Structure formats: structure tokens, C-alpha cells
Amino acid sequence: MGLLDGKKALIFGVANDHSIAWGIAKALHEQGATIGFSSIAEVAERRVKPLAESIGSTFVEPCNVQNDAEIATVFEKWQAQYGTLDILVHSLAFAGREALSGKFVNTTRDQFHLALDISAYSLVALTHAALPVLHAGSSVLAMTYYASEKYVPNYNVMAVAKSALEACARYLAVELGPQGVRVNCISAGPIRTLAASGVGGFRTMHGKFKEVAPLRRTLTIEDVGNAAIWLCSDLASATTGEVLFVDGGVNVLAIAAPEEDGA
Ligand code: NAD
Ligand code: 0WE
């Protein structure tokens, strides 16, 4: 018996088998959920279809979340095929590469708009389009990062986007709460995905992470998937508007110092 038997999930943001969205898809599938996917057209056909097939999924639709018409089409197709939606997963982000290095003060208006549109507004757009298929007991999950709260070198405009994403999740949680729809975020520590490895200094940061993390290890997409099972299941029936850290305990540290004699 699975914790998600009979539930139907639509997952945005798989790029490849290293994607956090794929870790979530595998985990939800193992608990009995039926999974559908939506990814940007460039990867949907070639990368996502084979992964989807490996867990018995037939729903793979292209969507650039900057485009309202494409978003509407995905949910129309979902409604036609499945009627309702129990779990909506938002696992995507983008900022121009140039905005993720150098000084934050140099962020342009265009870089700011692009990052906030794709990484934060898209949660509102997807949830809005999903309203006709959501019902009491459904849940929405988005992926965030601790730089929304505290300075992380080079994360720059993405930090602003993650703060906005978390605020969007809180507003959606309050508005959809009366309908029995929950909205939460998982704040994951650094994981070597496509998006993360495209970032200067990530390797060093990832290496340091396991020296300072209370759990003394790096994180996996399976760690995130396991947390997603709980948040998307009826076991989390009273949790909404929340940010759940899946970061080996790093967010509780005031000073990220490697182990010495005592600790
Ligand atoms: P990833 O590269 O596997 O996934 C990012 C996804 O965003 C890709 O599938 C990409 O196609 C999609 N995307 C970008 N622009 C899009 C658009 N306009 N329309 C539709 N899709 C678009 O990387 P990931 O690390 O798995 O990222 C998933 C989420 O996890 C993101 O929200 C990211 O900020 C968050 N996150 C990642 C880490 C990490 O260290 N990897 C840590 C915390 C949070
Ligand atoms: O959210 C992310 C990744 C976000 C991201 C990454 C890229 C790289 C390639 C968004 N847009 C782009 N655009 C590109 O062109 N993470 C939490 C991983 C991450 O990204 C960082 C980090 C960490 C951790 C960027 C700078 C510093 C740390």
C-alpha cells in the first residue's frame, strides 16, 4: 500500500534524470501516484519522454511557463485525460547566466523581469490554470533555496526570485486554504543538477557543504523526493504556507565552520 495510492500528480521541471523534479516524480510514483510531466519543448520529447515511460507515464506536454496559452493547453489536456489533479509540482527556475555572477547592483531590469517571471510568477500562473482541476485534499509544491532569506554569493537576482516565490506560496496557501488546497515549499540544499552545475563556484560550495552540514553529507534528489511524499500526502493535512528545509540542517547554523575538536 502506498501513501499516494490513487493520486494524480503533474510535475513541471524535469530536464534530465538529475533534476530534482525527477527525484520527486520517482518518489511519488513509488508511493502509488500516477505521474504526468510538463517541461520546456526542447527537452520534453527527447529527455523527458523516455524517463516518463520508465515509470509508466504517458502524459508529457511541452510548456514554456512564460507563455499563458501554453500553460492553459497543458491543463486543458490534463482535465480531458484525468479530470482532476491531486498534486501540482513546480520545480523550475531561470535567470540569465550573466546575472548569476558579479555584483547584484549591476542587475538589469530585463534580467530582473526574466528571473522573477520564470522563477516566481510562474507558480501563480500554474496554480491559477490548475484551479478547475484542484479539489479539497489537493496540494501544490514549489522548490526554493535558503538564499531567499540569507546572502549567498552569486545567487543574486535568483535570491529575490526565491523570496518572491515563497511569498507567492504563502498568499496562495491562504487563498486556497478554505477550499482544502495546500501550498508549500521545500527549501533544498545544493544538489548537482543541470541548473546548479551551470554556476561558477558551485563545485567548491558543494564540497564545503558536507564539512559544515550537521548531517555531514551532501543531498540527493531522493532526499527531496522523500520529503515531497510527505508534503503531498494526506499525512501533511494540516501543513500549508510552509517552507520545509531539506538541507542536512545547514539553515540552523549561525556560522558555517568546519568541525574542530568539540562539535
Ligand atoms: P534542473 O535544471 O534539473 O531543473 C530546472 C528546470 O527549469 C529545467 O527543467 C528547465 O527546463 C526548467 N525551466 C527553465 N525555464 C523554464 C521555462 N521558461 N519554462 C518551463 N521550464 C523552464 O535543476 P534543478 O536544480 O532540479 O531545479 C529545480 C528547482 O529546484 C528550481 O526551482 C531550483 O531553483 C530549485 N533548487 C535547486 C537546488 C539545487 O542546488 N539544485 C537547490 C534548491 C532549490
Ligand atoms: O536555484 C538554483 C539554480 C538556479 C539557476 C541556475 C542557472 C544556471 C544556468 C537559475 N538560472 C540559471 N541560468 C543559467 O544560465 N540553485 C539553488 C542552484 C544554485 O545556483 C546558484 C547557487 C546554487 C546553490 C547560483 C549561484 C550561487 C549558488
Side-chain angles (χ1 to χ4, degrees):
M1 227 192 74
L3 289 167
L4 302 172
D5 281 340
K7 290 197 192 284
K8 295 168 285 187
L10 178 54
I11 301 184
F12 287 77
V14 175
N16 57 37
D17 62 344
H18 298 291
S19 294
I20 291 173
W22 177 242
I24 295 172
K26 281 192 300 179
L28 302 189
H29 172 70
E30 278 165 18
Q31 293 300 324
T34 298
I35 317 289
F37 296 90
S38 179
S39 292
I40 207 141
E42 290 85 316
V43 296
E45 201 63 34
R46 203 165 54 87
R47 310 293 317 234
V48 184
K49 278 241 167 99
L51 289 172
E53 275 168 25
S54 76
I55 59 167
S57 303
T58 52
F59 191 96
V60 180
E61 289 297 327
C63 176
N64 181 334
V65 298
Q66 293 185 277
N67 187 314
D68 289 329
E70 290 184 27
I71 292 173
T73 302
V74 174
F75 286 95
E76 279 159 18
K77 288 187 175 170
W78 182 269
Q79 184 161 29
Q81 204 161 325
Y82 296 103
T84 59
L85 178 62
D86 305 290
I87 300 167
L88 171 62
V89 177
H90 176 288
S91 182
L92 53 92
F94 186 82
R97 180 177 297 274
E98 324 72 57
L100 296 175
S101 62
K103 289 204 159 124
F104 173 70
V105 74
N106 294 331
T107 306
T108 66
R109 196 181 297 275
D110 284 350
Q111 288 170 336
F112 192 98
H113 277 158
L114 184 68
L116 274 281
D117 184 26
I118 297 179
S119 313
Y121 176 71
S122 60
L123 179 66
V124 184
L126 294 184
T127 304
H128 180 259
L131 284 178
V133 286
L134 296 175
H135 59 91
S138 294
S139 80
V140 178
L141 176 64
M143 295 303 309
T144 189
Y145 180 54
Y146 189 44
S148 64
E149 294 184 38
K150 304 286 182 187
Y151 182 92
V152 173
N154 298 318
Y155 202 67
N156 295 1
V157 72
M158 271 306 305
V160 181
K162 290 306 192 190
S163 299
L165 178 76
E166 291 172 21
C168 291
R170 284 189 287 272
Y171 273 75
L172 293 168
V174 171
E175 286 188 2
L176 304 192
Q179 297 159 233
V181 175
R182 299 180 297 107
V183 184
N184 293 289
C185 297
I186 287 178
S187 187
I191 300 176
R192 286 198 65 180
T193 61
L194 186 65
S197 50
V199 156
F202 181 83
R203 279 183 65 138
T204 315
M205 191 186 160
H206 194 245
K208 281 270 172 291
F209 186 88
K210 63 178 178 297
E211 293 172 24
V212 301
L215 293 179
R216 295 288 191 274
R217 65 172 182 90
T218 53
L219 305 161
T220 65
I221 60 172
E222 287 77 19
D223 291 320
V224 178
N226 286 336
I229 292 170
W230 175 70
L231 268 178
C232 298
S233 79
D234 298 335
L235 293 177
S237 52
T239 298
T240 196
E242 188 70 340
V243 178
L244 177 65
F245 283 89
V246 179
D247 71 341
V250 164
N251 76 93
V252 309
L253 300 173
I255 300 170
E259 189 171 8
E260 280 179 45
D261 300 335

